[in-house]
Amino acid sequence: MTNPDEEKKAKEVLLAAGIKNPYRLPALIKNQIEFFNLDLSGLTIITEAASGPFVVTPIVACMAGAKRVIAYTKNSTYASCDEVISQTQALAQICGTPSTIEIVVERDLSYFREADIVTNLGFVRPLDKEVISLMKKNAVIPLMCEAWEIRETDLDIETCKKRGVKVYGTNEDYPGLEVFSNSGNLCAKLLFEAQIEIFKSKILVVSSDKFGVVISRHLIAMGANTTLLYDLKSTAQLESNTFDAVIIADYSRSDFIIGDKGDITAQVFATIFPHTTLIQFAGQNNTYELENKGIVVYPNVPLSPHKMSQTLAYLSPRPVIDLHTAGFKVSELVI
């Protein structure tokens, strides 16, 4: 039987971590495990132990019956190791799961020899030649994202091929999962935070990949007058138009989109789109120059290529639960 005092303490830890309703998480995890009929019995998993919405991942593996869950963590700008450990233990308490999670603070590579599944997640990375050379042949690395989103700096694919380690992405549009659709909600949240109402707003989406299509459809459904362009190289037809917001949502590109070596310079952008709010969803822009030219940038943070300003976890823990449970299912099927 659950100790009420311990449960109350666990709730307080998760509330302090930004989880608005900790008691919602056990049902969300259980539902996804049942939906995928996920069974990790007998398997050793290496994943990350992280904070806030990302606290769920090792708990999912435990609730799916994993024999052993090894979770790497480290101090970060989001939380200290102690905070991550506390949050992980708190969620295990709330979920009524005997915690078989071994949280590893130092990057001890010896654990990789034992793993059947190694997740491609932040504190586990980089999955480089040294790490992959230790892994079992026929071990599985689930990307925990779609295959086209993979970053070369995260994972040494060539060594995986030579070693026989299998690497698989997740179809985020799989019926009943459909987690990629949350990209529209995430972009809407960023727009609202930037005080762009969406309804009746004129919005330009710049993207050459899947994000642009999904975001555009979502904003149109919310009543925005939305235009989708693959890039900003040809903007002559837009010079007479006034946009409330320009959304840069190009995860695929490796170069600058706005900047001296981009599609257009910050000066040209400011000339064509004066008084327009620039929403950074994904893609690299010279935010310093844009700000100097009087452009409001939100979120005003420098982004590297193949990075989002916020992940789907910025919405709630549910997209993380859905996506990571699906990633574990992909691994189970491969094994």
Side-chain angles (χ1 to χ4, degrees):
M1 181 176 289
T2 303
N3 184 308
D5 290 336
E6 291 180 357
E7 186 173 305
K8 181 181 178 182
K9 182 179 178 181
K11 177 186 175 183
E12 290 172 353
V13 167
L14 295 173
L15 287 172
I19 307 297
K20 301 300 184 184
N21 182 2
Y23 293 117
R24 183 171 179 245
L25 301 190
L28 290 177
I29 295 172
K30 183 180 178 182
N31 288 345
Q32 283 303 99
I33 289 174
E34 290 179 351
F35 173 76
F36 286 113
N37 192 25
L38 178 63
D39 184 1
L40 300 179
S41 298
L43 300 177
T44 296
I45 315 292
I46 288 182
T47 190
E48 71 170 359
S51 58
F54 290 102
V55 71
V56 299
T57 310
I59 304 298
V60 171
C62 281
M63 291 180 66
K67 178 180 72 175
R68 189 179 184 192
V69 180
I70 301 160
Y72 282 79
T73 195
K74 62 182 179 180
N75 293 320
S76 71
T77 55
Y78 300 102
S80 67
C81 291
D82 288 343
E83 288 170 325
V84 168
I85 292 169
S86 178
Q87 291 174 32
T88 304
Q89 292 173 343
L91 184 56
Q93 174 75 23
I94 292 288
C95 290
T97 296
S99 182
T100 56
I101 302 167
E102 303 167 44
I103 298 181
V104 180
V105 175
E106 300 294 333
R107 191 167 170 79
D108 185 344
L109 300 186
S110 64
Y111 291 103
F112 286 92
R113 301 180 189 277
E114 306 171 40
D116 301 292
I117 297 171
V118 176
T119 63
N120 174 43
L121 294 175
F123 292 143
V124 183
R125 298 193 294 251
L127 297 173
D128 54 20
K129 184 175 182 179
E130 182 182 15
V131 169
I132 294 164
S133 297
L134 295 173
M135 292 174 62
K136 296 178 181 178
K137 293 183 178 180
N138 298 319
V140 181
I141 298 175
L143 295 178
M144 304 307 227
C145 63
E146 296 206 333
W148 63 272
E149 296 178 272
I150 190 172
R151 294 185 293 251
E152 292 181 1
T153 54
D154 292 346
L155 177 60
D156 186 337
I157 290 288
E158 288 306 312
T159 302
C160 288
K161 291 177 181 178
K162 293 175 183 177
R163 182 70 179 169
V165 172
K166 296 177 171 60
V167 180
Y168 277 77
T170 300
N171 174 12
E172 295 182 26
D173 292 323
Y174 181 81
L177 174 61
E178 298 149 334
V179 73
F180 200 91
S181 296
N182 282 292
S183 302
N185 286 328
L186 176 58
C187 191
K189 182 173 182 178
L190 296 178
L191 284 163
F192 286 142
E193 290 176 346
Q195 297 185 353
I196 305 297
E197 305 82 8
I198 301 179
F199 182 64
K200 295 185 179 180
S201 295
K202 193 168 187 178
I203 298 174
L204 174 64
V205 180
V206 181
S207 176
S208 63
D209 59 34
K210 185 175 176 179
F211 279 112
V213 175
V214 172
I215 288 169
S216 296
R217 288 175 180 169
H218 191 86
L219 298 180
I220 289 169
M222 294 181 72
N225 179 356
T226 305
T227 301
L228 173 61
L229 288 183
Y230 289 127
D231 56 49
L232 287 170
K233 293 176 182 176
S234 177
T235 55
Q237 73 272 27
L238 301 174
E239 291 189 28
S240 61
N241 294 323
T242 301
F243 288 92
D244 296 288
V246 174
I247 301 166
I248 304 298
D250 203 320
Y251 184 95
S252 299
R253 286 182 55 169
S254 300
D255 56 343
F256 272 91
I257 297 168
I258 302 173
D260 291 342
K261 296 182 180 180
D263 295 352
I264 58 175
T265 64
Q267 176 62 62
V268 172
F269 184 93
T271 301
I272 299 173
F273 306 105
H275 315 303
T276 296
T277 299
L278 178 71
I279 302 294
Q280 289 201 114
F281 186 91
Q284 189 174 28
N285 305 292
N286 191 327
T287 55
Y288 176 77
E289 286 296 325
L290 285 163
E291 188 178 29
N292 282 346
K293 300 302 178 183
I295 298 299
V296 175
V297 180
Y298 187 82
N300 192 359
V301 293
L303 287 181
S304 303
H306 317 301
K307 292 280 189 178
M308 299 164 66
S309 61
Q310 296 286 355
T311 69
L312 295 180
Y314 192 55
L315 290 171
S316 75
R318 181 170 189 162
V320 183
I321 293 169
D322 292 356
L323 181 58
H324 290 185
T325 306
F328 282 131
K329 183 61 182 182
V330 168
S331 304
E332 180 202 334
L333 291 171
V334 174
I335 289 172

